[in-house]
Amino acid sequence: MPNVQVKDLGTQVNSDVTVTGWVVTTRSSGKIAFLVLRDGSGYLQAVIPKREVEEEVWDVFGTLSQESLVAVTGEVHAEPRAPGGYEMLVRTLVRLSPSVEYPISPKDHGTPFLFAHRHLWLRSRKQVAIARVRHEVVQAIRDFLNDEGFTLVDTPILTGAIGEEAGNLFATPYFDLGEAYLAQTGQLYVEAAAAALGKVYCFGPTFRAEKSKTRRHLTEFWMVEPEVAFATSDDNMRLQEAFVSYIAQRVLERRESELQELERDRSALERIKAPFPRISYTDAIERLHAKGSPITWGQDLGAEDEALLAADHERPLFVYNYPKEVKAFYMKENPDDPRTVLNNDCLAPEGYGEIIGGSQREDDYDQLLARIQAQGLDPEAYGWYLDLRRYGTFVHSGFGLGVERTVAWMCGIPHIREAIAFPRQIHRLYP
Ligand code: NSS
């Protein structure tokens, strides 16, 4: 009997096939039994009429429990009411492996319990849907950048220079060279690569020893970082809005059933279309004051400020040109207002907040050196990075998009820890 994946059952209507999968649910009236199984490609309802099968089949059915592995053989029928649209009339049933007291039942479990069983929880419908949306987001990222002529450059995870802030570094002893840091960003390296290849990106895990236990922070998260030679801050925002719109439209187009499983409001995603509204940091502070916020010019925007601003829009919002003091050393000073830098954050609607941080880079050697020194960083560790400003320095810009925050937003789930298979948080290293 041909072994078929559930997703391909449509081509097998009225023929006999075998499907191997894990038991999701069993139920029996005494005369007819129903078995829902999943094989990683979909869900299948198998029907076992007691009078039409060998006694042994009925006995095997009686030994099944949630997550037992079985092989079922029988005829496939179209059945619009069945999950997946097909049903199998079972002739033979073999239990391939048992599953004794599977810890995750359909009843409600607390979040700590589910995360302690994350390795099993991944099999649940909602988690499967999230994983597929994440996959789509990642594919969309790669396709968009590839179609736009970007070259992928893989950047190191073990690094010798701090990329963002000294405050949240993971360090590890590194032979005779002192300490290496796990990369907080690949940006400094893609800047070097942009001078070789023009339009480049890196895409990988990044690490921050975030002490905050918020629903937007992981200690290990994935970030895609495009970097473009000759692009200004304005060009950078244009690229970001095209990029984010593309990702949302791809998820809508190709992950309809997953969005349905997640009960995601699709119209919210349909509205994610370029151009996105923009507001300068300085105007944002005024708008926040009008809304009663006590924030003062010079302070970074907190999650609440971001939410207040984003609430005015159904599309993502760019906030640009922040005060120099609250931003990273590599951002280019704004020639029109040297208190600020040529950067932007992109704030997602529906309370999701910042999904992107980007900027035009400081391309002046002396300015950059001064910023490195002012932040107490060791200029020697940045010798190679400063070299980019010594040998044909060039206008360039780039940004970083956080994958988990984007996936959580696409899925409409409240916390980013479900947007990655095995989240790493301050209090979570198992499984
Ligand atoms: O710190 S960022 O704002 N910017 C950078 O790392 C730049 N080096 C990017 C660049 O210009 N190439 O982080 C960028 C995004 C941010 O908007 C979030 O979406 C995400 O990375 N991010 C995080 N996601 C999850 N957890 C944590 N802790 C986190 N930190 C940043």
Side-chain angles (χ1 to χ4, degrees), residues 164 184-185 187 208 210 216-219 221 223 225-227 330 345 354-359 361 398-402 404-405 416:
E164 289 292 328
Q184 297 169 311
T185 169
Q187 178 197 319
R208 296 188 193 180
E210 300 274 10
R216 305 198 297 171
H217 289 92
L218 297 170
T219 56
F221 63 96
M223 181 159 55
E225 297 182 83
E227 190 72 28
Y330 52 72
D345 281 353
E354 183 197 322
I355 51 159
I356 290 180
S359 60
R361 318 308 190 185
F399 64 90
L401 172 124
E404 290 75 19
R405 289 190 188 176
I416 70 169

Side-chain angles (χ1 to χ4, degrees), residues 23 53 123 148 166 176 189 235 274 287 308 351 353-354 391:
V23 172
V53 294
R123 305 179 186 191
E148 291 288 323
D176 296 335
Y189 297 97
D235 299 330
R287 198 193 282 183
L308 275 175
E354 183 197 322
Y391 303 108

